[in-house]
Amino acid sequence: MKIEVENLGILKKAEFELGELTLICGGNNTGKTYATYALFGFLSHWRRHLKAGVHDSTIQELLRDGVTRLDVESYTKEAKHILRKGCEEFTRQLPGIFASKPGRFNDTKFQVSIEAEKISSMEDRAFRRTVRSAEDDLISLSKAGEGSEVVVSLLIEKRRSLFPASMIKEVISDGIVELLFEPFFPQPFIASTERTGAAIFRKELNFARNRLLEEMSRADGDINPMELMSRSYQDYPLPVNDNVDFIGQLGDVAKRDSYLVENHPHILDDFADIIGGEYIAGSNDTIYFRPSRKQTKLTMDESSSAVRSLLDIGFYLRHVAKPGDLLMVDEPELNLHPENQRRIARLFARLVNLGIRVFVTTHSDYIVKELNTLIMLNQDKPYLKTIAQREGYNCEELLSAGKIRVYVAQKALMNLEGRRRRSRHASLVPASIDPDLGIEVSSFDETINKMNEIQDAIVWGGDE
């Protein structure tokens, strides 16, 4: 899946491909957050925006006979058009995604593309979807694995005439879109940079919403509830809102287990090692942290900033994670010691090898270099196996270079008034990834080399 953007915030023109592990690094104010939030918004709501056309004759046949058949191939041929129109509709919703003013993204282009051959392969996909009311099954869409037709069946014989044609069209459209595109669009979960504050103020944030509802219920006829809402409750970008909502519901989230609990508990053990303990959902919707080998329970206010910054990731891993997801983490290095930055990189690699995609924005040279190590060790050479064993690496965390996509967000160099200057616009530049040398991100090396140069001058300058 490739994403192309134009005039998206500071990003003038950029494109990036979603890999099994996607890394965007670079300086501040270079567009990393714009790319991340836009991608998260699309993956969260693509079903709302992508629409497949349904002929009136199809609806008439379904209402008359109780069944109709659709040719899948005709829709795969239209897939590019469906995706393009859906992306145009999504682009119009970007002010809501970013909680910005209307018109802020009037010149923006956001386009997702998928290879035609991959979409055509969906013609061989088995599919079944049933739409229910509170009491009955209403409509089903089904397709055999090797069939070329989608069979649409009306499951209630009586009261067919009461079904609005518009509702039936929407159900069929949603089913076709899901059949064609669901395998390409992973379910996203995001840990935004605001997660540490959300962990501390989770009760206050819930209280603010409860107070709003209470004020609305007390409003008399002279008060517009929508006016009250806009006055009392600050809107935030979608990823931040989703982050706050998730942290606010941790008590309910903790009632279920992810597939990692049963199938890969060692992942959770490694994560517990990183944070130095475990999270516990207590009574009265209180979340505690219990340090390893201690009976003490600490509230989030009492816990370290590292414990707070990894709270939502910890609950995601233990209670939500499943294969095919996309875990998006904005600056995972927040509040982490360099050693734990290395360990979180190794954790991400293990998740990738288990089928959970990972999308990371980072300023951390430690994370990039640890991923380099995992790439370079992933070769069948005796001396590399010796190094891996000596340093405690295992095969579950070694990475294939082909699984990774790395982009450097940087401001463009332009010739202005005869001199090369950095413009205020930025782009995403793909970084080369070599199985022998790892990821090439020169911006980190330039900064480190400059610091070393200054320190060498301080230490040895007096001898000149």
Side-chain angles (χ1 to χ4, degrees), residues 291-321:
S292 300
R293 295 180 293 278
K294 293 184 180 180
Q295 295 305 311
T296 306
K297 291 193 302 184
L298 305 176
T299 65
M300 287 300 104
D301 290 347
E302 299 168 323
S303 300
S304 71
S305 56
V307 167
R308 294 195 296 265
S309 72
L310 294 175
L311 174 66
D312 53 351
I313 298 175
F315 271 77
Y316 167 79
L317 295 175
R318 182 169 289 278
H319 303 290
V320 179

Side-chain angles (χ1 to χ4, degrees), residues 255 322 410-411 423 452:
K255 295 175 183 177
K322 63 183 185 299
Q410 58 186 33
K411 293 182 180 178
S423 76
N452 290 337

Side-chain angles (χ1 to χ4, degrees), residues 101-219:
K101 295 179 180 179
R104 175 69 178 81
F105 296 96
N106 282 351
D107 298 326
T108 298
K109 174 185 174 183
F110 178 94
Q111 182 62 51
V112 174
S113 58
I114 301 168
E115 294 175 15
E117 297 79 12
K118 292 183 177 180
I119 295 178
S120 295
S121 70
M122 293 301 101
E123 295 176 15
D124 297 325
R125 182 188 174 208
F127 176 79
R128 183 170 183 82
R129 184 183 187 211
T130 301
V131 177
R132 294 180 52 86
S133 69
E135 300 176 351
D136 302 295
D137 292 342
L138 301 177
I139 301 174
S140 74
L141 292 87
S142 61
K143 178 186 171 300
E146 297 180 356
S148 60
E149 293 181 332
V150 173
V151 179
V152 184
S153 303
L154 199 58
L155 302 178
I156 296 182
E157 290 297 322
K158 298 178 181 178
R159 305 192 307 277
R160 287 181 186 171
S161 60
L162 299 180
F163 276 78
S166 59
M167 184 200 80
I168 297 176
K169 276 190 176 184
E170 186 171 348
V171 169
I172 295 175
S173 171
D174 290 349
I176 294 296
V177 164
E178 189 172 326
L179 168 65
L180 293 181
F181 297 105
E182 186 182 41
F184 305 108
F185 299 146
Q187 179 64 38
F189 175 88
I190 194 165
S192 69
T193 51
E194 288 80 5
R195 58 188 180 272
T196 303
I200 299 174
F201 299 112
R202 59 185 300 270
K203 284 191 174 182
E204 286 78 2
L205 290 167
N206 285 339
F207 174 74
R209 293 187 177 190
N210 292 337
R211 183 176 61 184
L212 171 62
L213 293 173
E214 183 179 346
E215 290 181 9
M216 289 179 67
S217 68
R218 292 178 179 174

Side-chain angles (χ1 to χ4, degrees), residues 303-413:
S303 300
S304 71
S305 56
V307 167
R308 294 195 296 265
S309 72
L310 294 175
L311 174 66
D312 53 351
I313 298 175
F315 271 77
Y316 167 79
L317 295 175
R318 182 169 289 278
H319 303 290
V320 179
K322 63 183 185 299
D325 282 355
L326 177 65
L327 172 61
M328 305 180 75
V329 186
D330 211 357
E331 299 181 17
E333 65 271 17
L334 284 178
N335 309 116
L336 296 186
H337 183 276
E339 177 59 27
N340 276 339
Q341 293 183 41
R342 292 180 59 201
R343 296 179 72 181
I344 206 75
R346 292 167 69 174
L347 179 76
F348 290 157
R350 288 182 127 184
L351 292 175
V352 166
N353 289 331
L354 290 175
I356 295 176
R357 292 185 177 187
V358 178
F359 183 103
V360 168
T361 69
T362 185
H363 300 287
S364 171
D365 184 51
Y366 297 104
I367 287 178
V368 174
K369 280 194 164 43
E370 191 65 14
L371 293 174
N372 281 350
T373 299
L374 301 179
I375 295 169
M376 293 187 290
L377 286 175
N378 191 32
Q379 300 180 65
D380 190 20
K381 297 178 180 178
Y383 82 95
L384 292 178
K385 293 180 180 179
T386 300
I387 294 173
Q389 185 176 13
R390 184 184 69 215
E391 300 297 335
Y393 293 95
N394 63 64
C395 60
E396 295 176 346
E397 55 196 12
L398 302 186
L399 281 170
S400 165
K403 290 185 175 182
I404 306 177
R405 301 290 182 273
V406 180
Y407 298 88
V408 180
Q410 58 186 33
K411 293 182 180 178
L413 280 171

